[in-house]
Amino acid sequence: MAEEKNYKNPKKFALNMTAAQFTKFYILHLLHKRPTMIAEEFKSEFRNISRNWQPAPSTLLNALHEMSDDLGYLTKRKEIRGKRQVIYNYSVTKAGEDAFILMKKQYKILFDEQKQTIDKILKEVYS
């Protein structure tokens, strides 16, 4: 069965990208800026790019879990702070680096299309 393009799904982000896909993409980007991060640092970075949208906590944690345990894009190192607090430090694997290169190429088209749409609306409506 051919994969359908679903441009009308309101749960899509940046036209045909789900919030989960964008979350994974941006996690890989962030880990190229900093070699290791914990979940709270990812949350903070997402707040920095948009005050209006952030991945739900479950979306972020599911993405981190899937990228480390299922896809092999990340490694996670367990750290115990204090008596009971468990923290996971995430870093990118070679598979994650390869996936990020591919995602950058695929998603650039979507971002450019979204930018063109927004620029057109801004010009038509606000000029």
Side-chain angles (χ1 to χ4, degrees), residues 28-96:
L28 290 172
H29 164 71
L30 293 171
L31 287 171
H32 276 82
K33 290 174 35 176
R34 280 180 57 190
T36 23
M37 295 178 74
I38 63 172
E40 287 302 317
E41 292 169 322
F42 290 115
K43 289 178 189 176
S44 174
E45 290 293 334
F46 275 101
R47 280 192 296 270
N48 286 337
I49 62 166
S50 174
R51 300 272 181 232
N52 297 321
W53 181 87
Q54 295 169 32
S58 60
T59 301
L60 177 61
L61 294 176
N62 287 343
L64 289 168
H65 173 78
E66 182 181 348
M67 293 171 75
S68 60
D69 296 349
D70 300 338
L71 299 172
Y73 293 172
L74 306 178
T75 58
K76 66 180 176 183
R77 186 176 48 83
K78 185 177 182 177
E79 178 183 322
I80 307 228
R81 292 187 181 169
K83 291 184 178 184
R84 295 185 184 154
Q85 186 180 18
V86 176
I87 303 288
Y88 291 99
N89 287 291
Y90 294 91
S91 57
V92 180
T93 64
K94 172 71 171 117

